[in-house]
């Protein structure tokens, strides 16, 4: 950086990195010595940018509020702009006279082409545009097989990830930010109408979550000190619920994966080394999803495995709605779908169960499930959501084969043994003895009566029979393999 232009502003463009700590682009802006123009752009109109789901928007509203406060305490105002990012940045450059811009990279197709255009715009004028790695620990395009190909299978990806060496240590927050002092036009958060009003479905979500960097930091600290130690044994049990719940914080970059990786490893001691390794591997599943997205940008709309392009998906609005509302008559499925609606989040084991139920028992297209999750999850992630849906559907990279069909009754008996999860989210079954909770239709009439349950009235009868649905799914798979006339 030359001395002459150190008073000319630099634009720090925040995107999915709403944090001060371990933010390489922000560190660059701070160390440039230039006045910083901090901006967030709400862009739903550039080509191939997927509009956020409603629950993500709820989160983003509060996350931006919290981030703006963090910046404010350092004297910096967060400018909000909306519209096509290329236009918004061009306008901001003119308005502030900025001669440099920086950001942390993102990996969607549409996002990358916007970023490339903006970089070019700055370069064409002889100005600086710098991007940094902050969202992922290893750039997805650099994790390659021996024959310089992308990975399709997780285990070799993980091996390669480890061979590439430990991720760099997290950066401290910049000691000082030099704010740009002039008035700059900005939207307000209220202008964006991210919060639901009629109806306001967010109350139960708000009880559960605190978006923002401070809350993310606290949650990580508490998790590392306690529940993480049992991750390897308890992570599949939705009742005790002992996973980290850091996913929405990671989604919006309120905490960095580098920070989490090092916290997880730094506190490692022999007693819980296994739990920590298993958890770190989940962080790398997140990286693997981005690796897939970067290589196969149409991950959310096209079958990764084109053999499924002829699959005879059913169209059944009533079944889809029963699934979305948690009214399928299978308690573990209904508990999961109601947890999602109530809290904006669902336990991973149950995500797999409800996903399998949608595509195999109901024979509905995985894209229907992916879209519903995208709209209702606070952690709805552009890479993990489609990658995991394709995994569950059997259409994806390294997928569970389609013919492996989860039995929702056995899954409930195995992973919700004491029925605590089902009772929490399906209260109309809470007086039924635990042994009948996975399949209430098998309970003796006297037990149902004692528990105040009338199947088909107080709780639905199963919308499909497990055995018949299983056979129908396998027949559909077979049919999709037969050549078309
Ligand atoms: C059908 C389906 C859809 C999913 N959609 C999303 C999504 O939109 N966003 C999302 O973040 N995760 C998604 N997942 C992955 C996983 O369910 C969540 O990341 C996890 O439940 C989040 O809870 P946690 O933070 O307590 O996770 P922990 O178990 O504590 O794991 C720590 C972190 O690792 C990452 N992670 C864990 N499991 C996975 C995984 N299987 N794939 C990718 N990353 C993982 C997450 O960032 C998570 O926060 C989906 C899984 C399925 C089966």
């Amino acid at each position: 950086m030359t001395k002459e232009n150190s008073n000319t502003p630099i634009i720090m463009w925040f995107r999915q990195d709403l944090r001060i700590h371990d933010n390489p682009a922000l560190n660059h802006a701070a160390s440039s010595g230039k006045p910083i123009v901090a901006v967030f752009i709400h862009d739903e109109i550039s080509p191939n940018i997927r509009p956020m789901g409603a629950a993500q928007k709820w989160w983003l509203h509060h996350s931006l509020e919290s981030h703006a406060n963090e910046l404010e305490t350092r004297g910096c105002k967060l400018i909000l702009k909306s519209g096509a990012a290329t236009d918004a940045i061009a306008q901001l450059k003119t308005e502030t006279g900025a001669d440099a811009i920086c950001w942390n990279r993102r990996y969607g197709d549409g996002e990358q082409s916007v970023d490339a255009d903006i970089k070019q715009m700055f370069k064409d004028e002889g100005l600086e545009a710098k991007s940094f790695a902050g969202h992922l620990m290893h750039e997805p395009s650099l994790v390659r097989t021996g024959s310089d190909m992308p990975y399709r299978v997780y285990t070799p990806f993980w091996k390669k990830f480890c061979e590439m060496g430990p991720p760099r240590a997290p950066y401290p927050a910049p000691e000082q930010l030099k704010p740009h002092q002039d008035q700059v036009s900005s939207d307000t958060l209220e202008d964006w109408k991210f919060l639901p009003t009629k109806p306001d479905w967010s109350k139960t979500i708000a009880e559960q979550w605190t978006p923002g960097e401070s809350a993310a930091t606290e949650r990580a600290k508490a998790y590392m000190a306690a529940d993480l130690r049992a991750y390897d044994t308890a992570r599949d049990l939705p009742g005790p619920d002992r996973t980290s719940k850091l996913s929405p914080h990671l989604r919006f970059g309120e905490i960095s994966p580098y920070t989490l990786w090092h916290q997880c490893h730094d506190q490692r001691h022999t007693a819980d080394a296994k739990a920590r390794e298993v958890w770190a591997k989940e962080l790398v599943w997140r990286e693997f999803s981005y690796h897939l997205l970067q290589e196969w940008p149409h991950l959310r709309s096209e079958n990764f495995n084109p053999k499924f392009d002829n699959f005879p998906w059913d169209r059944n609005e009533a079944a889809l709605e029963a699934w979305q509302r948690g009214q399928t008559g299978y308690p573990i499925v209904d508990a999961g779908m109601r947890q999602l609606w109530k809290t904006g989040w669902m336990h991973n084991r149950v995500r797999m169960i409800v996903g399998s139920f949608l595509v195999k028992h109901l024979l509905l297209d995985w894209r229907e499930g992916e879209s519903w999750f995208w709209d209702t999850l606070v952690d709805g992630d552009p890479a993990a959501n489609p990658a995991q849906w394709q995994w569950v559907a059997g259409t994806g990279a390294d997928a569970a084969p389609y013919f492996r069909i989860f039995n929702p009754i056995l899954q409930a008996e195995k992973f919700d043994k004491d029925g605590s999860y089902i009772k929490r989210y399906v209260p109309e079954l809470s007086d039924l003895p635990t042994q009948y909770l996975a399949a209430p239709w098998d309970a003796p009439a006297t037990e149902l009566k004692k528990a105040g349950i009338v199947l088909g009235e107080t709780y639905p009868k199963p919308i499909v029979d497990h055995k018949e649905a299983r056979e129908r799914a396998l027949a559909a798979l077979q049919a999709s393999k037969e050549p078309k006339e």
Side-chain angles (χ1 to χ4, degrees):
M1 194 60 53
T2 55
K3 261 216 149 129
E4 307 87 82
N5 58 12
S6 69
N7 281 327
T8 320
I10 181 168
I11 298 173
M12 166 64 213
W13 182 12
F14 287 101
R15 297 105 70 88
Q16 47 190 14
D17 52 345
L18 302 180
R19 62 177 182 268
I20 308 287
H21 292 84
D22 193 37
N23 187 324
L26 183 62
N27 275 45
H28 169 76
S31 63
S32 72
K34 290 162 148 297
I36 297 174
V37 179
V39 66
F40 181 90
I41 302 168
H42 173 45
D43 178 4
E44 288 196 330
I45 57 177
S46 293
N48 297 324
I49 302 257
R50 186 178 195 183
M52 267 180 220
Q56 288 173 62
K57 283 186 176 162
W58 175 87
W59 188 284
L60 180 60
H61 178 102
H62 294 291
S63 188
L64 283 170
E65 206 166 50
S66 158
H67 192 52
N69 287 338
E70 290 281 348
L71 287 169
E72 197 83 50
T73 61
R74 291 162 169 84
C76 235
K77 182 173 161 47
L78 181 65
I79 306 296
L80 302 178
K81 298 271 184 194
S82 49
T86 324
D87 298 340
I89 293 287
Q91 190 207 9
L92 192 60
K93 183 160 72 66
T94 311
E95 211 178 334
T96 59
D99 67 356
I101 186 167
C102 57
W103 61 70
N104 295 306
R105 277 176 221 122
R106 43 190 190 167
Y107 303 92
D109 198 22
E111 286 82 355
Q112 285 185 330
S113 63
V114 167
D115 293 356
D117 287 349
I118 293 175
K119 219 170 219 183
Q120 198 56 51
M121 173 166 79
F122 274 70
K123 294 224 158 121
D124 287 347
E125 294 180 36
L127 307 178
E128 180 190 280
K130 281 203 161 168
S131 62
F132 298 84
H135 198 57
L136 300 172
M137 294 178 277
H138 286 306
E139 286 299 273
S141 56
L142 299 181
V143 191
R144 310 291 289 181
T145 67
S147 44
D148 198 24
M149 297 294 285
Y151 285 93
R152 290 164 170 258
V153 178
Y154 174 75
T155 304
F157 178 86
W158 158 255
K159 264 181 81 183
K160 179 70 182 191
F161 184 95
C162 295
E163 275 166 33
M164 290 171 78
R168 61 155 176 79
Y171 301 121
E175 270 173 29
Q176 246 190 337
L177 300 179
K178 182 172 159 191
H180 175 68
Q181 299 290 4
D182 299 353
Q183 192 73 18
V184 180
S185 65
S186 171
D187 294 354
T188 66
L189 263 178
E190 287 63 36
D191 293 337
W192 292 354
K193 298 189 171 38
F194 281 172
L195 299 182
T197 49
K198 287 179 192 157
D200 178 3
W201 40 257
S202 67
K203 287 198 179 87
T204 48
I205 297 182
E207 283 163 14
Q208 182 90 22
W209 301 100
T210 309
E213 183 172 6
S214 311
T217 308
E218 271 171 39
R219 189 179 278 272
K221 213 168 132 200
Y223 188 68
M224 300 288 164
D227 281 350
L228 171 59
R229 293 182 183 158
Y231 189 75
D232 51 335
T233 52
R235 72 194 174 117
D236 270 324
L237 309 177
D241 198 10
R242 293 176 75 181
T243 66
S244 71
K245 296 220 174 95
L246 283 163
S247 51
H249 298 292
L250 275 162
R251 157 71 180 91
F252 290 95
E254 297 166 358
I255 192 158
S256 95
Y258 298 84
T259 302
L260 292 173
W261 175 277
H262 286 283
Q263 283 181 354
C264 176
H265 286 87
D266 289 353
Q267 294 169 25
R268 193 173 187 145
H269 44 80
T270 44
D272 58 15
K274 171 100 190 295
R276 287 172 192 274
E277 162 138 342
V278 177
W279 196 76
K281 275 186 163 166
E282 296 301 330
L283 281 182
V284 178
W285 263 104
R286 175 177 172 273
E287 306 257 329
F288 182 52
S289 304
Y290 275 92
H291 180 73
L292 295 175
L293 180 68
Q294 160 107 16
E295 296 296 334
W296 291 277
H298 304 297
L299 202 58
R300 80 175 158 97
S301 53
E302 290 174 13
N303 292 313
F304 185 88
N305 179 349
K307 281 190 186 149
F308 278 84
D309 289 352
N310 290 331
F311 195 85
W313 301 113
D314 197 7
R315 292 194 69 81
N316 182 338
E317 283 301 320
L320 179 61
E321 200 177 314
W323 178 82
Q324 290 170 338
R325 307 279 165 222
Q327 295 288 342
T328 67
Y330 281 86
I332 190 73
V333 175
D334 294 342
M337 297 309 293
R338 294 184 199 185
Q339 180 181 32
L340 175 59
W341 184 253
K342 206 169 167 192
T343 69
W345 184 90
M346 194 195 300
H347 188 277
N348 179 59
R349 166 60 47 182
V350 193
R351 292 188 202 205
M352 293 193 278
I353 298 170
V354 304
S356 171
F357 190 85
L358 182 88
V359 295
K360 298 176 186 176
H361 286 74
L362 301 182
L363 222 57
L364 297 176
D365 192 325
W366 61 267
R367 281 158 281 225
E368 296 279 9
E370 199 273 343
S371 298
W372 182 255
F373 269 36
W374 180 256
D375 199 36
T376 51
L377 277 172
V378 287
D379 67 18
D381 186 272
N385 199 41
Q388 289 298 303
W389 268 97
Q390 294 230 36
W391 184 89
V392 167
T395 59
D398 196 9
Y402 185 86
F403 57 78
R404 198 172 295 154
I405 296 173
F406 273 14
N407 177 334
I409 306 157
L410 294 183
Q411 291 283 317
E413 285 169 355
K414 184 166 177 199
F415 296 110
D416 189 31
K417 251 189 199 128
D418 64 358
S420 55
Y421 181 71
I422 290 176
K423 286 184 180 174
R424 195 175 312 147
Y425 291 106
V426 190
E428 63 268 39
L429 298 180
S430 57
D431 289 334
L432 196 61
T434 306
Q435 76 221 66
Y436 304 118
L437 274 176
W441 57 91
D442 280 342
T446 47
E447 293 293 354
L448 287 171
K449 197 165 176 212
K450 261 198 274 169
I453 299 165
V454 182
L455 288 179
E457 282 181 33
T458 60
Y459 181 69
K461 291 180 179 165
I463 58 169
V464 285
D465 172 76
H466 167 65
K467 239 177 113 193
E468 282 169 20
R470 185 172 189 283
E471 277 157 22
R472 189 171 70 130
L474 293 176
L477 178 66
Q478 192 54 36
S480 74
K481 287 180 182 164
E482 282 157 15
K484 291 241 163 202
E485 295 195 351

